[in-house]
Amino acid sequence: MSGITVSGLSKRWGDSYAVRDVSFSVEPGSFAVLLGPSGCGKSTLLRLISGLESASAGSIEIGGRDVTARPPAERDLAMVFQSYALFPHLSVAENILFGLKVRKVPRTDQTERLARVADLLGLSELLDRRPSQLSGGQQQRVALGRAIIAEKPICLMDEPLSNLDAKLRHEMRVEIRALQRKLGMTMLYVTHDQAEAMGMADRIILLKDGTIEQNATPVETYGRPATSFAGRFIGTPPMNVLALTWEYGGVRIKGTNTALLNGIPKSDLTAGLRPEDIVLDEASVHRAEVETIEYLGADTLIDCRLGSERLTVRTRGADGLSPGAEIGLTWPRAAIHLFDVGSGHRRDDLLTGAEG
Amino acid sequence: MGPLANRTWIHAWLFLSPAMILLIAFTHYPAAVTLFHSFFSTPRGKRPAKFVGLENYETLLADTTFWKVLGNNLWYALGTIPASVAIAILMALWVDSKLKGRGFVRMAYFTPTVLPLIAVANIWMFFYTPGFGLIDQITGFFGFSQHNWLGDPSTALNAVIVVAVWKEAGFFMIFYLAALQTIPVSLREAAAIEGAGRWYFFRRVTFPLLMPTTLFVSVNAVINSFRLVDHIFVMTEGGPDNASSLLLFYIYETSFRFWDTAYASTLTVALLLLLFAVAIGQFLLLDKRVHYR
């Protein structure tokens, strides 16, 4: 089994960098997700690893072998495209077998592997159809089939679920993850959907502007976001990032006069609070004014104003509240994340000496 | 039918009428009249046309010039169609790739299409001129003797074929270029990941996906091979000894040089039937192998 190691990888078009000095590695047999907003370079990074684009600098190793200058076919990997890239004039069976036919795998071997893959993906009934006669979900399965029949140790996926509806997307998510475990493939998966990343990944590599923002497990990415960007990108609704001021010797949320934390040296900081960590508490000293209420069924989102800052609270049982009402908010001490204003980096060091 | 439905019908006919009037006046009516005339004798002086039944068609079957010209035309079609289609695909693939000065190359390939066929024929007249024409100058440089390309019955038709291919390939290239650009890049990338080479990809993916274009282009090419005769007028006038005469040129000569309009009508009907059969045959034959998206 082989993993992927990328070091110092850059891709430049003219003066602009799509990917800038990126290094990470993917453990053999693990599921890594490249996550980021559109234009962050995640797809470019995947195309660099697949060999469809050539790197401007840096190196790519697959299974311990330097493949930076190798063509895609010599990188021992399979790829699933966002558009599925199915051949419209070929049947499902011919689409899945395309790679095996290119490599002249013996006919009996082809039939056997096709039967196995079709069975695994539930495509056995559809083998004679053309791609245009299939639903989006079925086309997605054919694309998956073409990737796994090759039995390559590494599979790359470029936003494979973005053309499916929400329900199907969830089903395919579970299925792809189960398939990856079953076949023991190393998977590198690109998405802009943080829920997809959280649900599937062993590791999330979060990208912004062509550089890595954070490379960690989903639990760590959610619990200890490395930057305020990471905090806001992971989780729905996003983390509240509040501006802070220093008055009367303590740090306060801007526009309020109750201390958030004491004993923090004065520096430019913001505080991150996840909406689901905030609790309604009538006795609390932090008083906020309700602006809008959004009822979602299982829970309710309350947008409110605390001092000069707006924040979102996610709670259950907000009955009887209406816009304009005054509420008290509280949160556990451990729910406060501090970020540097300039760099956006997490400042846990400041929290250790501080008092709640 | 209510008054509103009536109005819709009137509007529909009003919109249809300009195109319909033109088509009927200049296409359908002349075709019907031609068919009608083919059953009559040619009116001359005091002798009006009289009904002769299938006599003109009997003349046609016994006319050795007709068979010679028809044979020429088939050879001409066989020579021009595959060659111009193949060259068109090659040129389209070439100018579809990333290459410097692509716009210029595309324009250069398309230029023969823009030029009038008469002008093209004049250019090629110069190439073919015995002794000091371009071709003889080049072959002469390598020590070959001079050759009258257009005056020799064995080469006249082939010389004319080359001109037609040169003229048509650029035109067909435009259709292939447009078709190539509708093939998603991701197909090429997916094939590259699987290790498919360029030729394999062309054979298994590009060419099958170009089939609708190939059908369209080949139907057009067949029609053109019977329709385009302008260069014959300039270059050979069908000669020597009808060696380069084509069906339409023969029809023109019969009709406007010998003024045998009835026989010309008969020849025209034969040409129409031939084209009709070929077009239907092409659709039936190729339709099964064409994948429309």
Side-chain angles (χ1 to χ4, degrees), chain B residues 56-96:
Chain B
N56 284 326
Y57 289 90
E58 281 159 17
T59 318
L60 177 101
L61 291 177
D63 180 1
T64 48
T65 314
F66 167 73
W67 291 110
K68 163 135 183 125
V69 164
L70 190 64
N72 279 350
N73 219 142
L74 292 181
W75 177 246
Y76 180 80
L78 270 173
T80 53
I81 298 164
S84 57
V85 168
I87 292 173
I89 293 180
L90 275 178
M91 293 196 301
L93 287 172
W94 167 246
V95 298
D96 189 42

Side-chain angles (χ1 to χ4, degrees), chain A residues 13 17-19 35-45 159 190-192 207-211 229 233:
Chain A
W13 277 288
Y17 280 86
V19 171
L35 176 69
S38 54
C40 71
K42 56 190 189 302
S43 284
T44 308
L45 190 49
E159 310 215 19
V190 163
T191 182
H192 62 266
L207 292 161
K208 184 194 172 201
D209 300 335
T211 56
F229 171 81
F233 200 81

Side-chain angles (χ1 to χ4, degrees), chain A residues 44-76:
Chain A
T44 308
L45 190 49
L46 196 75
R47 292 170 62 82
L48 286 170
I49 293 168
S50 71
L52 295 172
E53 300 283 353
S54 57
S56 306
S59 72
I60 302 160
E61 274 181 31
I62 291 176
R65 199 166 57 96
D66 188 330
V67 295
T68 319
R70 298 257 152 224
E74 291 175 32
R75 297 189 177 201
D76 217 16

Side-chain angles (χ1 to χ4, degrees), chain A residues 17 39 43 60 75 77 117 177 196 214 254-255 275 278-279 312 321-322 342 344 352:
Chain A
Y17 280 86
S43 284
I60 302 160
R75 297 189 177 201
L77 47 80
V117 167
R177 180 70 224 222
E196 225 166 274
Q214 186 167 17
K254 201 172 175 192
I278 305 173
V279 184
T312 306
L321 279 182
S322 56
T352 44

